[in-house]
Amino acid sequence: STSCPVTVCIVLDFIPENNQVTLTTTVRPVSDLSIGQTGPSSGYAGSNFVYRLTITNKGPSTATSVIVTDVIPAGAVYVSGSNPSGSASYTNGIATFTISSLASNGTATITFIVKPLEGGMVSNSATVTSAADEPNPANNSTSMAITVTPVADLGISQTVSPGSGYITSNFIFAITVTNRGPSTATSVNVTNLVPAGFSIFNVQPPPGSSFSQMGNIVTCNFGTMTNSASKILRVFTLANLEGVFT
């Protein structure tokens, strides 16, 4: 028989503490939020315009601390806002709507009302953000333009001084025009017909205005009048006849 030597090798680990490793990895939430809006295509100044914002979370994570900011158009007044999923506030031309959390594939609807005071193209812009990472920021904002027709409520009144007098006396007719708004009125013209029996010897238009006279008819171009503005046209006359005149 033949015998073979056998060698046994034993390795000893004198530092077992370094035989394992722990790695900590942070997985951040990701939420693809999108925002859209609807509203009227046109309307009149002084009317309430209703906007609706729809926020959708396309996931995959729940979006927390969702904030929607809407820049109210210049020349418009914020009337009210409704956010069933959270809170609504308004400060210095910006409406802010907060939602504590919005689940993946969830939606939220926000409604608010503004009142434009001037005519022209009115643009409303809104943006949505959250505490989660946003993989597609291109759909985080929306803008919508609306055509607003200006509206100006003009009022006119007239007084005469003195209220009564004698033939050959001087009478001053004062015609007051007031723009009750809400928009600025342009190309405002006033035509005043002085009663027969009076002769006009002087006309005093408002500052910056022009007038023309044809017989007893005075036409005055008041030009532009802002909301709540008033202008007065004064016509100085001499009474040539006695009687009651309108």
Side-chain angles (χ1 to χ4, degrees):
S1 63
T2 303
S3 62
C4 295
V6 177
T7 302
V8 177
C9 215
I10 300 176
V11 178
L12 298 179
D13 190 340
F14 295 100
I15 309 177
E17 291 83 1
N18 63 2
N19 289 358
Q20 62 182 6
V21 62
T22 300
L23 179 65
T24 300
T25 301
T26 300
V27 179
R28 293 182 54 83
V30 174
S31 298
D32 180 11
L33 294 177
S34 66
I35 185 171
Q37 72 171 309
T38 60
S41 60
S42 62
Y44 292 96
S47 301
N48 287 339
F49 286 28
V50 179
Y51 290 89
R52 287 182 176 85
L53 303 176
T54 301
I55 297 89
T56 302
N57 181 10
K58 301 177 180 179
S61 306
T62 295
T64 59
S65 301
V66 179
I67 299 176
V68 177
T69 55
D70 190 284
V71 180
I72 303 302
V77 176
Y78 178 81
V79 178
S80 64
S82 174
N83 178 19
S85 301
S87 63
S89 62
Y90 173 78
T91 305
N92 298 327
I94 298 178
T96 303
F97 307 93
T98 60
I99 301 171
S100 59
S101 65
L102 186 61
S104 178
N105 297 318
T107 61
T109 301
I110 295 169
T111 304
F112 62 96
I113 301 172
V114 299
K115 180 185 294 184
L117 301 179
E118 295 291 344
M121 293 298 294
V122 173
S123 180
N124 183 74
S125 300
T127 302
V128 62
T129 61
S130 77
D133 288 348
E134 174 58 64
N136 183 21
N139 60 2
N140 290 165
S141 61
T142 178
S143 183
M144 181 178 183
I146 296 176
T147 302
V148 179
T149 302
V151 175
D153 179 14
L154 296 178
I156 188 169
S157 62
Q158 181 176 203
T159 60
V160 60
S161 178
S164 62
Y166 297 98
I167 191 171
T168 71
S169 297
N170 291 339
F171 291 83
I172 303 174
F173 293 91
I175 300 92
T176 302
V177 176
T178 302
N179 180 10
R180 298 166 183 164
S183 305
T184 296
T186 59
S187 302
V188 179
N189 286 283
V190 175
T191 300
N192 182 61
L193 175 60
V194 175
F198 290 83
S199 58
I200 300 172
F201 65 87
N202 188 27
V203 175
Q204 185 181 82
S209 302
S210 60
F211 77 94
S212 61
Q213 179 184 347
M214 181 177 294
N216 274 24
I217 299 176
V218 176
T219 302
C220 186
N221 180 8
F222 279 27
T224 299
M225 296 181 63
T226 58
N227 183 18
S228 300
S230 292
K231 293 185 178 182
I232 301 176
L233 167 67
R234 291 182 173 86
V235 180
F236 298 81
T237 66
L238 174 69
N240 299 317
L241 299 174
E242 59 184 65
V244 178
F245 300 92
T246 301

